[in-house]
Amino acid sequence: MKTISQIAITLIFTLSLTACDAQIKNAKTETVTIYGNCGMCEKTIEKAGNKKGVATVDWNKDTKVASLTYDEKQTSKDEILKRIALSGYDSDSFLAPDEAYNDLPGCCQYDRKAKTPVKKEAVAETMNHHHEEAATVDVQKAAPLAAVFDKYFAVKDALVKTDGAGASVSATALVQEINKIDMKSLDMNVHTVWMKVLGELKEDAEHISETKDAAHQRDHFDSLSKNIYSLIKVSKVETPVYYQFCPMANDGKGANWLSKENAVKNPYYGSMMLSCGKTVETIK
């Protein structure tokens, strides 16, 4: 009898979810990882993520996997995950504010891998984004990263001169600026990219700072440039930045760099082939 009752409850629950999904127009379903521990977490996560007629969340406490079904014309996965983060629960994309996490009951406080909170203003920005039909790119403020970009350009300028000592000094300053960044000050798009590139960004800057060998520095400058490019693309820059490419660098595989000048000054070869390359993109 007990087994029959359990089956009936499961069937009713499944039918209920199906009915909810059916009420959502333009429905899109995605699975994501959300961190939590117990049934209480489940209730809070689903309550935070659910929005009548717009989004439903079904979280499994054993697998930590949630199924998000939402009207993609009215909301997005990011918007749902930000609401859940503001209730105290981290996902792979967004981290809960410390105060929200600290307010969770003891049984719900899971082990956190990092503590970089999502801001309430970011949720509002994302929601407004869905009502701005003309908006195709969510450009964010660059100010918090301006010093990082400036030090990168100093490293580039030193390599143009094949000045290994100068590149080392500038890279040391770059590492210092990277370490000063308060991730709470970054807008959401910039924050997301920052989290993805931070490890490699520091590693490349540190390698360049630890040697005066320009050849070794150039090995890391290629990767450093790719990550700086990713950050500048989502940031608002006050003056144009030129993304340039040399087909000869990197053993003929080609390599990019960023410059404040449209005129090509190659940091991979310096005076040997100073003008080798071209501008492939202007970032404004």
Side-chain angles (χ1 to χ4, degrees):
M1 180 64 80
K2 185 176 180 180
T3 301
I4 294 174
S5 298
Q6 289 174 334
I7 292 173
I9 291 172
T10 301
L11 181 61
I12 291 170
F13 179 71
T14 302
L15 290 174
S16 175
L17 285 177
T18 302
C20 289
D21 291 349
Q23 294 172 1
I24 295 176
K25 297 179 180 178
N26 311 302
K28 180 177 181 179
T29 299
E30 295 186 75
T31 56
V32 296
T33 299
I34 299 172
Y35 298 95
N37 294 326
C38 58
M40 190 178 295
C41 297
E42 182 177 3
K43 290 181 180 178
T44 305
I45 289 169
E46 294 182 354
K47 183 179 180 181
N50 289 344
K51 197 171 182 179
K52 188 176 181 181
V54 176
T56 61
V57 177
D58 181 24
W59 183 73
N60 187 306
K61 65 183 176 64
D62 296 319
T63 64
K64 317 303 180 192
V65 173
S67 174
L68 313 182
T69 299
Y70 58 91
D71 183 338
E72 62 180 340
K73 290 189 176 180
Q74 295 193 55
T75 188
S76 67
K77 180 183 72 174
D78 284 356
E79 187 176 318
I80 296 167
L81 292 177
K82 286 174 186 175
R83 289 204 304 271
I84 292 171
L86 290 176
S87 72
Y89 291 91
D90 298 344
S91 63
D92 286 340
S93 301
F94 300 103
L95 300 173
D98 287 347
E99 57 270 30
Y101 172 81
N102 292 333
D103 285 341
L104 294 175
C107 64
C108 298
Q109 293 189 349
Y110 47 91
D111 292 332
R112 307 186 81 186
K113 297 180 179 179
K115 293 185 177 180
T116 305
V118 62
K119 296 183 290 186
K120 291 183 179 179
E121 306 89 82
V123 177
E125 286 177 8
T126 305
M127 294 177 70
N128 290 337
H129 181 70
H130 287 283
H131 300 289
E132 296 173 359
E133 296 181 358
T136 55
V137 178
D138 197 8
V139 177
Q140 306 296 327
K141 298 175 183 177
L145 297 181
V148 171
F149 297 153
D150 284 345
K151 299 307 178 188
Y152 164 82
F153 289 123
V155 173
K156 186 269 295 179
D157 290 341
L159 291 177
V160 167
K161 299 174 184 174
T162 317
D163 177 4
S168 175
V169 171
S170 296
T172 298
L174 174 58
V175 173
Q176 292 171 347
E177 294 300 334
I178 291 171
N179 289 332
K180 287 180 185 176
I181 294 299
D182 178 2
M183 288 191 277
K184 296 177 184 177
S185 69
L186 302 178
D187 288 317
M188 188 50 59
N189 278 7
V190 180
H191 177 211
T192 300
V193 176
W194 179 260
M195 288 179 63
K196 289 180 180 176
V197 306
L198 179 58
E200 288 187 0
L201 199 69
K202 286 184 67 173
E203 183 179 347
D204 288 324
E206 287 170 353
H207 273 283
I208 295 172
S209 72
E210 291 167 357
T211 180
K212 296 178 181 178
D213 179 353
H216 183 63
Q217 290 169 333
R218 284 164 173 154
D219 288 341
H220 288 277
F221 187 69
D222 181 18
S223 173
L224 180 72
S225 297
K226 289 177 182 175
N227 288 322
I228 291 290
Y229 170 77
S230 297
L231 287 168
I232 284 184
K233 283 288 286 182
V234 294
S235 302
K236 183 179 180 181
V237 290
E238 294 183 356
T239 57
V241 174
Y242 302 94
Y243 195 45
Q244 299 176 326
F245 176 74
C246 171
M248 302 293 291
N250 192 22
D251 296 327
K253 298 175 184 175
N256 292 86
W257 71 95
L258 293 140
S259 175
K260 293 180 178 179
E261 306 169 273
N262 193 18
V264 170
K265 294 181 181 179
N266 194 314
Y268 294 101
Y269 289 105
S271 60
M272 292 176 62
M273 289 194 289
L274 187 62
S275 61
C276 179
K278 63 180 180 180
T279 296
V280 294
E281 182 178 352
T282 300
I283 305 168
K284 298 180 180 178

